[in-house]
Amino acid sequence: MTKIVVVGSGVVGLTVAHELLKDETNQVTIVSQQFPTDFDVSTLYTSPNAGANWHSFASDDDIFTQEIDKIGYFKYKEIIKNSPEADVTARTDVHYVPINKFNKVYKGIKKFPWFAYGDMGKTVNFRELDESEYDTTKFAYAYQYDGLVIRTSYYMTYLLNEMWKMSGSVETSNSRFSLRRGTIKKLLDAYDYHHLGKADLVINCTGILSKELIDLEPEEKEKVYPIRGIVFVAENTTGMKKITAVDLLDPQYPEERLYFMPRREGELIIGGAYQVNNYSKVVDPTFIVRLITRCKYYLPQYKWDNLNIIRTQVGYRPFRKGGYRIERKGKIVHCYGMGAAGFQSSWGCAVKVVDLVNDYKNKSKF
Ligand SMILES: Cc1cc2nc3c(=O)[nH]c(=O)nc-3n(C[C@H](O)[C@H](O)[C@H](O)COP(=O)(O)OP(=O)(O)OC[C@H]3O[C@@H](n4cnc5c(N)ncnc54)[C@H](O)[C@@H]3O)c2cc1C
Ligand SMILES: *[C@@H]1O[C@H](CO)[C@@H](O)[C@H](O)[C@H]1NC(C)=O
Ligand SMILES: *[C@@H]1O[C@H](CO)[C@@H](O)[C@H](O)[C@H]1NC(C)=O
Ligand SMILES: *[C@@H]1O[C@H](CO)[C@@H](O)[C@H](O)[C@H]1NC(C)=O
Ligand SMILES: CC(=O)N[C@H]1CO[C@H](CO)[C@@H](O)[C@@H]1O
């Protein structure tokens, strides 16, 4: 048996632990400061504060990330079909490009994501909208595909429940799975947190808080930085049914975004912000005013008056200069830096971690 400690209970740590537990020779403890079922989640715990949808950001030549996101798309589609309790819902995802962005940023050339083409284009039913389907005085072009929305904290609770099912839900002395609340000061201490003795391997899925670990390599610490996001959770009385993004360009507020995710239970996520290196918890009260003004201007077909906003969520997308780090260094496997894409990339990243763990097990003859 292989004893593995996963540090972190965000979507990345949970998905990695889930995939490791499928192998009956693995025994997994998740150690984490915070868990998805916590009532009061600090804003430095990113996953519960996300939207979340699938819209791969991989560039045309980034095959590595495309492959990771592709795995996620198929996995979520399977979950939608077989596990309604996971709270992942199929939704059309529509994307509008305003004329000013088209001219100033895209230089008058229509830009579509990598998944618009080939087999993936067919899989997601990608299509450019006809001019009759949008307001041509505001938008240069638009496209849509078969997307999905994840109710983040519920989905993460589902992952936990699946793990109890796989390992046996009653914690016995030889259960393959356990949760421990704790703050790891340095990753070397994490080996002592396994519920069955000294761990063989530690998986580092700590997200943005990793910067506080004592034993992280200084050059790695430099690379991790947050991009702050803000979303409002409103009662969906607008009539909106599709996941919707307006590819906003407001030169006066370059870090503001405009997107919507109608969740299954009648919540509407309204975003957003993209503020590099901002750790503030403060939400500027004039932000929502600008947001609603933009809603009314770009999407007047929906009802924006008297919108009931239930909650404001602030999160810090854990970015890393150089992109995702998924690699093994001795007895530590790193898996972090998923930035704005932790949900869509989680399944693909977990596949890579399992490969690294198996490679280690083969080499050390477990
Ligand atoms: C507003 C917003 C919208 C987003 N929308 C989307 C979207 O639509 N689609 C998408 O794919 N992604 C989206 N993201 C990005 C996504 O949320 C992140 O990429 C993802 O949540 C990162 O997950 P994580 O597991 O790496 O980190 P986290 O969720 O931050 O988890 C880190 C975990 O590690 C624990 N931890 C950290 N340090 C220690 C320590 N020393 N000891 C013990 N425990 C520790 C924490 O308690 C926590 O449990 C969005 C993000 C934001 C903020
Ligand atoms: C653990 O991961 C974080 C990023 O999540 C990274 O900054 C840090 O260097 C890693 N820790 C160690 C000890 O390598
Ligand atoms: C972070 O955002 C807040 C609120 O919008 C703003 O007041 C502050 O100036 C920003 N800080 C940085 C470092 O950008
Ligand atoms: C580990 O060894 C097994 C059996 O020899 C093999 O099937 C598998 O591909 C190996 N895995 C890795 C990741 O090397
Ligand atoms: C897509 C969606 O969830 N729409 C819902 C928006 O909210 C109203 C009122 O709660 C629901 O009736 C819709 O189904």
Side-chain angles (χ1 to χ4, degrees), residues 12 16 68 71 324 326 335 338 345-354:
V12 176
V16 163
I68 283 180
I71 292 171
Y324 303 175
I326 309 176
C335 182
M338 283 75 207
S345 66
S346 55
W347 289 102
C349 292
V351 166
K352 295 206 179 287
V353 171
V354 169

Side-chain angles (χ1 to χ4, degrees), residues 173-243:
S173 57
N174 58 1
S175 163
R176 289 200 300 116
F177 180 50
S178 185
L179 301 176
R180 287 189 70 179
R181 193 182 292 271
T183 299
I184 302 295
K185 294 222 162 46
K186 45 185 203 299
L187 279 180
L188 277 180
D189 296 343
Y191 293 94
D192 296 323
Y193 275 78
H194 200 281
H195 64 292
L196 297 172
K198 191 94 171 165
D200 302 300
L201 270 171
V202 166
I203 323 277
N204 177 12
C205 305
T206 50
I208 200 73
L209 275 173
S210 59
K211 288 183 88 82
E212 291 172 18
L213 290 169
I214 291 168
D215 57 348
L216 61 82
E217 304 106 305
E219 68 276 14
E220 276 299 320
K221 193 170 182 172
E222 281 294 295
K223 289 184 193 161
V224 179
Y225 67 101
I227 299 187
R228 186 168 91 126
I230 303 167
V231 297
F232 299 96
V233 184
E235 225 177 291
N236 177 21
T237 49
T238 63
M240 185 183 283
K241 289 192 163 47
K242 294 177 183 176
I243 300 170

